[in-house]
Amino acid sequence: MSGCPFHLQKSLETIEVPAEPASDYAFLAEVYGTDSDEAGLRRAVIEAARERGEPAPLTERELTAAGRIAWRNHARCIGRLYWRTLVVRDRRNLVEPDAIASELAAHLRAAQNGGNIRSILTVFAPAAGKGRKGPRIWNQQLCGYAGYRASDGSVLGDPRNAALTAKALELGWSAPAQRSAFDLLPWILSGPDGRPHLFPLPEDLVQEVVIEHPDHPGFAELGLRWYAVPAIADMRLRIAGTDFGAAPFNGWYMGTEIAARNLADTDRYNLLPEVARCLGLDTRRARTLWQDRALVELNRAVLHSYERDQVKLVDHHTASEEFMHFLQLERKAGREVSARWDWIVPPLSPATTRVFHTPMREFPVSPDFLAAEPNPAL
Ligand code: ARG
């Protein structure tokens, strides 16, 4: 495929039309329909609370709908076809780290579901009002590997988690006696006082997958592994003007996230040279395409290993087709899709996927998942 195929011209045209600026309350019409006054009445109640500086008093039904719509809206996600299946756990009554930690464990267990991963969002209390703090999860994800920075600047493990790892150690985390590149991190949680509390992970909570290659037995000696469930914990969920700063959510992985980025990026695990060596490739010249070949084999290994363990994970070709289907359904529903091309297009063999040839644009949406408020202590 090259250029812009004719059947995509239509999406190009519709994309030029500016979408209505998203109303913070439009989701209420999806909950109550447009025939009754209910949406309007609920909007008035929520707006009044907002004027008093209070969090939006959403019903559980409204929260569930808004959580699903936030996923449907989110410009960086290729997996949105499944937005209606999101399970929303309403834990807005919880602000204290202890209670939150046990709910995080419950979230992860329910999400892992023996490998048949379920998409779940858990919503904890928002800040009680202006100038007040809400609970926060300091980890980037509920599962993550430590990155131990040595005095020479090098990192054992995942450099993405170097700051959190240092914080955990400072708070008294007892890392495994024999540190490895794949040590699961404890949780760091704070409540309304903002102070960090350390929570070691419950034993055997996190499901992991050992990475092997389907036809290179030597690959296993690299000792690679990854966890089953990506559960983002450092974004805030914004609904009707209220920020839920602790609202972890998970889907399932697309193989390239692990194999073409986490394990391959030079500022992450940077494993392509080792993989190439293991495969016996000539790494002296870029023109041998040793990086590209190592990348493909690493991706095959991840796809193979998750399938072997029956842990749900989608390949990028299938995910791309699912996203195209999502676009089609959304167009049929009369909704414009906000999307970031640089996030949607997979990092491996991009031009073989239809999303590469599809024009996209990002515009403000509501509800949405946004970057967390910066955490000055990290
Ligand atoms: N890219 C992130 C990671 O590799 C996960 C982001 C969310 N991904 C998902 N499939 N829901 O850990």
Side-chain angles (χ1 to χ4, degrees), residues 56-254:
L58 303 169
T59 65
E60 208 173 316
R61 181 167 164 221
E62 289 164 354
L63 183 75
T64 298
R68 291 178 180 157
I69 296 169
W71 181 9
R72 186 183 79 201
N73 278 341
H74 191 69
R76 302 194 288 193
C77 179
I78 192 174
R80 289 181 268 172
L81 179 60
Y82 300 98
W83 66 274
R84 286 177 194 278
T85 67
L86 184 70
V87 173
V88 179
R89 299 167 75 239
D90 181 4
R91 297 294 182 274
R92 286 174 294 168
N93 56 324
L94 300 183
V95 289
E96 292 305 330
D98 282 17
I100 289 175
S102 54
E103 283 302 324
L104 294 182
H107 176 139
L108 211 48
R109 278 194 198 98
Q112 288 176 164
N113 191 29
N116 188 14
I117 295 166
R118 288 184 284 223
S119 300
I120 302 181
L121 163 70
T122 301
V123 185
F124 296 107
K130 282 258 169 302
R132 313 277 286 273
K133 280 197 181 78
R136 282 284 295 270
I137 303 166
W138 291 30
N139 305 59
Q140 199 253 328
Q141 296 185 18
L142 298 188
C143 309
Y145 296 118
Y148 306 99
R149 195 177 290 286
S151 45
D152 67 355
S154 66
V155 173
L156 171 65
D158 195 342
R160 179 169 71 182
N161 292 324
L164 191 87
T165 303
K167 193 70 192 175
L169 290 167
E170 182 192 315
L171 291 171
W173 176 48
S174 48
Q178 184 84 357
R179 294 182 178 184
S180 83
F182 297 100
D183 293 343
L184 287 163
L185 280 164
W187 292 322
I188 302 180
L189 312 176
S190 58
D193 66 3
R195 287 193 314 120
H197 298 256
L198 190 71
F199 292 88
L201 293 184
E203 201 57 47
D204 291 327
L205 173 66
V206 174
Q207 187 176 0
E208 296 177 273
V209 175
V210 168
I211 310 299
E212 294 171 334
H213 192 281
D215 30 60
H216 292 282
F219 204 95
E221 277 148 42
L222 294 171
L224 310 184
R225 58 206 286 131
W226 205 256
Y227 46 87
V229 171
I232 303 296
D234 69 350
M235 292 181 87
R236 64 197 149 105
L237 169 57
R238 167 165 271 190
I239 307 170
T242 296
D243 279 339
F244 296 89
F249 60 89
N250 76 279
W252 51 84
Y253 265 116
M254 175 164 78

Side-chain angles (χ1 to χ4, degrees), residues 57 86 276 318 344 356:
L86 184 70
T318 303
I344 300 292
F356 178 94

Side-chain angles (χ1 to χ4, degrees), residues 324-353:
M324 296 308 293
H325 186 197
F326 168 73
L327 289 184
Q328 196 188 349
L329 292 180
E330 287 300 290
R331 194 168 304 136
K332 232 187 270 169
R335 289 188 292 259
E336 201 66 63
V337 173
S338 171
R340 271 183 65 167
W341 192 93
D342 58 340
W343 274 74
I344 300 292
V345 171
L348 185 67
S349 313
T352 65
T353 64

